[in-house]
Amino acid sequence: MLSYRHSYHAGNFADVLKHLVSVRILRHLKQKPKPFMYLDTHSGPGAYLLDSAQALKTREYETGIAPLWQHTQLPETLADYIAVIRSFNPTDTLNHYPGSPSIAQHLMDKTDKLNLFELHSTEIELLKQTFAGQRHCQVHHSDGFQGLQAKLPPPQRRGYVLIDPPYEIKSDYDKVISSVIKAHKRFATGVYAIWYPVVERQRIEKMEQGLKESGIRNIQLFELGLQPDTQEKGMTSAGMIVINPPWKLKQEMSECLPLLAKILGEAQGDKQAHYRCEQLVEE
Ligand code: SAM
């Protein structure tokens, strides 16, 4: 039984990192005038309201998108991410926060293809509403890990896969790695991004080790943390591991991450925020 609802967490620091990286990857793929496929294994509902009861209950966006929203001196790549979020808000007031599939659709064309997977019975209905009438977006009420294998390689031979499970089930940490290794065998040139939460650091170290031993080349890791690692409950940091990253991604992230850590650290009233920006496996 799935209980996770992303509406409690929309626009938090982990979404900022995930969606910033996604925007960079999508912009890069759009540079070539050739169609590609976007596959979101864990789509969520696709759209969020920051004045919803769920968002207001946690107010996680206050140490995520909110402090960046009014910032006037952001580097180009961060400003570009904010511009994408602005395009979902009709006025200067931040209230709409798009999910990963909406961000992708916004940056893609009708010639591109989106495959969106979601298992939760409520979230899938919301996702269907978000993408109603969009014929190039296929919404699937099924398991994203299975859907990933079924849809690869894409007919376009170009693609970006986002793997963003809630990790409610602890076996997801291993499943993400085995799924990406299998997917990479079917489609070695695709761009893959794996989102992860740091709740127990050992689980992330195991994921990193699994990828290092997989034989897959060219893997980068970007992480943003609001708190130091702890033995207590709760997410302290979050990261994105990217396979076959765009050639400029690491440089762009090395410019953004120190500032993001500074702004979000100040937003929570202390200086604890930190980041990682690493080449996990060489090309
Ligand atoms: N990717 C979304 C975004 O960035 O806006 C957020 C997704 S949320 C972290 C994870 C979603 O995965 C939840 O909506 C949950 O219902 C869904 N989910 C959990 N297990 C799944 C599975 N095996 N296949 C597809 N969806 C799943």
Side-chain angles (χ1 to χ4, degrees), residues 184 207-222 241-245 250 276-283:
H184 188 268
M207 285 172 81
E208 290 178 37
Q209 198 55 35
L211 284 171
K212 283 180 186 166
E213 288 167 3
S214 71
I216 300 176
R217 310 294 303 169
N218 199 12
I219 310 180
Q220 294 175 351
L221 179 148
F222 309 105
I241 296 176
V242 185
I243 298 172
N244 295 328
K250 186 153 175 277
R276 291 172 67 193
C277 181
E278 295 167 19
Q279 185 82 35
L280 205 61
V281 180
E282 294 300 326
E283 276 187 62

Side-chain angles (χ1 to χ4, degrees), residues 9 55 61 72 98 270 272:
H9 311 288
Y61 60 88
T72 49
D270 62 40
Q272 298 271 19

Side-chain angles (χ1 to χ4, degrees), residues 143-242:
D143 183 288
F145 290 116
Q146 286 173 15
L148 171 61
Q149 309 304 335
K151 294 287 175 191
L152 295 184
Q156 302 86 348
R157 300 278 155 176
R158 301 181 74 219
Y160 167 36
V161 172
L162 174 64
I163 306 175
D164 181 23
Y167 297 90
E168 261 180 308
I169 309 164
K170 297 291 170 242
S171 57
D172 275 357
Y173 290 93
D174 289 338
K175 202 167 180 183
V176 159
I177 301 304
S178 58
S179 297
V180 88
I181 292 172
K182 204 167 155 197
H184 188 268
K185 288 201 172 99
R186 303 174 87 92
F187 179 44
T189 54
V191 181
Y192 297 86
I194 301 167
W195 179 84
Y196 66 83
V198 181
V199 178
E200 293 165 89
R201 176 61 71 182
Q202 308 86 282
R203 292 193 188 275
I204 308 310
E205 286 169 350
K206 193 170 167 227
M207 285 172 81
E208 290 178 37
Q209 198 55 35
L211 284 171
K212 283 180 186 166
E213 288 167 3
S214 71
I216 300 176
R217 310 294 303 169
N218 199 12
I219 310 180
Q220 294 175 351
L221 179 148
F222 309 105
E223 191 176 298
L224 185 62
L226 291 191
Q227 311 288 335
D229 293 355
T230 165
Q231 297 302 321
E232 283 159 38
K233 266 190 156 184
M235 174 175 72
T236 52
S237 305
M240 283 280 267
I241 296 176
V242 185

